[in-house]
Amino acid sequence: AWNDRQITYAHAVLRDPVATETVAAALRRAVGESHRLTLYRRDEIVEYFAQQVRQAFALSYLMEAITFLLVAVAMGDTLAASVGERLRRYATMRALGYARADVFRLVLLEGTTIALLGLALAAAVGLALGVFWVEVQFPAILGWRLDLGLPWRFFLASGLLALALCFAGAVLPSRRAARVAVAAALRND
């Protein structure tokens, strides 16, 4: 109809939506095979595009798993270095009457604080990037206007997982700080 052999998609709206299947069957018979025409209803095309997006982002779950592993390792490394630098301070605290459990909780609290600050930063940056992609990039690249939605369940689950991993990464440095030999740590400096 337009003498355009490059056309990829054409959107048709029928005055009578009840006739959708009848019109689709007639189009398939008339030009479907000869022009390699595939017809989709609105719900089918939405599902088709959603499947394409899922395929495009399939590896993101692997990247998320790697990120969570790196979070746990980084938390443990950061706190281990911090505890190593402050062994004398922890020994002094123990000499002044702090119990091992108090020192343990102190380092765990430090790890939890770092985790909460990291989660707040990640949420702010993630939300800003989401708004940017939905409001700016997709309309500019594809010409589509999308609705912005926040996947609350995923957001909460990943936040809780990150907190749990940070907590797990803080346990060994906390144990090291709590078990510091008071006399040896104070004598070395």
Side-chain angles (χ1 to χ4, degrees), residues 69-83 86 90 103-116 161-178:
L69 177 65
L70 291 175
V71 163
V73 170
M75 177 59 72
D77 182 55
T78 300
L79 286 176
S82 174
V83 165
R86 295 185 281 172
Y90 294 130
V103 175
F104 183 86
R105 281 192 298 271
L106 182 68
V107 177
L108 272 183
L109 179 63
E110 181 181 353
T112 304
T113 303
I114 292 170
L116 290 173
L161 179 60
L163 276 174
L165 289 173
C166 288
F167 187 81
V171 168
L172 288 177
S174 297
R175 287 181 56 190
R176 181 176 180 213

Side-chain angles (χ1 to χ4, degrees), residues 64-155:
E64 289 169 14
I66 292 169
T67 301
F68 280 127
L69 177 65
L70 291 175
V71 163
V73 170
M75 177 59 72
D77 182 55
T78 300
L79 286 176
S82 174
V83 165
E85 292 173 0
R86 295 185 281 172
L87 282 178
R88 182 176 170 84
R89 188 175 304 159
Y90 294 130
T92 303
M93 291 168 71
R94 292 283 320 287
L96 292 173
Y98 275 72
R100 289 180 189 261
D102 295 332
V103 175
F104 183 86
R105 281 192 298 271
L106 182 68
V107 177
L108 272 183
L109 179 63
E110 181 181 353
T112 304
T113 303
I114 292 170
L116 290 173
L117 290 173
L119 282 173
L121 179 64
V125 170
L127 184 59
L129 283 173
V131 168
F132 173 74
W133 273 95
V134 169
E135 299 295 329
V136 177
Q137 282 302 102
F138 281 129
I141 293 172
L142 303 172
W144 296 350
R145 302 286 304 149
L146 301 174
D147 293 330
L148 181 64
L150 182 62
W152 285 105
R153 288 183 188 165
F154 177 78
F155 183 75

